[in-house]
Amino acid sequence: MDQNDLAVMAAQALFSVLGGAAGTAASQLTQDRLNRSARGRAALDGLNASPGDPAAQRNVQAALTDEISGDSQFADRLAVLLHASAQQTTGSVVITGSRVRNSQIALGPLTINNTPGARVFLAFADALLLALVALGV
């Protein structure tokens, strides 16, 4: 995805939140990132003062483009969040990031434990199954 396209999509997510729509992870990430720099804070302040002003919107997009071009990890995370929000996620779970540690995910009757004890039990069950198959052969 092109950096300018990514900045436009992130800015649109931010504009929709300021227009009264529900906040998204992408808009929150965008706001947090823009609040880190003086230029970003000034652009957000201008946008909060007049959300419909095209000049304020262009300033936010320009600040976002600079942030995206300066940090590839931020750009990748933003692209994932924007792509995930475009997908149908009703009744589902979207997990972003590379690791989920020491957590439990419950989806109705299904519970997933990601703990060291659960991994040891899974390894033991795999070894037992392998031993039973070897004895059967």
Side-chain angles (χ1 to χ4, degrees), residues 2-73:
D2 183 76
Q3 292 177 353
N4 291 329
D5 293 339
L6 188 59
V8 168
M9 289 176 65
Q12 291 300 325
L14 184 61
F15 301 155
S16 67
V17 169
L18 292 177
T24 63
S27 63
Q28 185 63 42
L29 178 66
T30 302
Q31 286 180 8
D32 292 345
R33 186 57 182 239
L34 288 176
N35 277 322
R36 290 183 184 178
S37 68
R39 180 181 181 192
R41 281 192 300 275
L44 279 177
D45 290 343
L47 189 64
N48 285 328
S50 56
D53 183 19
Q57 292 177 357
R58 281 192 303 272
N59 287 341
V60 168
Q61 287 178 359
L64 272 174
T65 302
D66 287 348
E67 292 292 332
I68 289 167
S69 65
D71 187 355
S72 63
Q73 288 181 344

Side-chain angles (χ1 to χ4, degrees), residues 117-133:
R119 289 189 294 270
V120 168
F121 175 75
L122 184 60
F124 176 73
D126 288 343
L128 182 62
L129 181 63
L130 183 62
L132 288 175
V133 169

Side-chain angles (χ1 to χ4, degrees), residues 41-107:
R41 281 192 300 275
L44 279 177
D45 290 343
L47 189 64
N48 285 328
S50 56
D53 183 19
Q57 292 177 357
R58 281 192 303 272
N59 287 341
V60 168
Q61 287 178 359
L64 272 174
T65 302
D66 287 348
E67 292 292 332
I68 289 167
S69 65
D71 187 355
S72 63
Q73 288 181 344
F74 170 66
D76 293 342
R77 184 163 183 217
L78 189 58
V80 167
L81 290 174
L82 288 170
H83 179 67
S85 64
Q87 297 174 352
Q88 178 67 19
T89 57
T90 303
S92 62
V93 176
V94 177
I95 299 174
T96 59
S98 60
R99 294 186 185 254
V100 178
R101 293 187 186 150
N102 298 329
S103 60
Q104 180 178 17
I105 301 171
L107 302 170

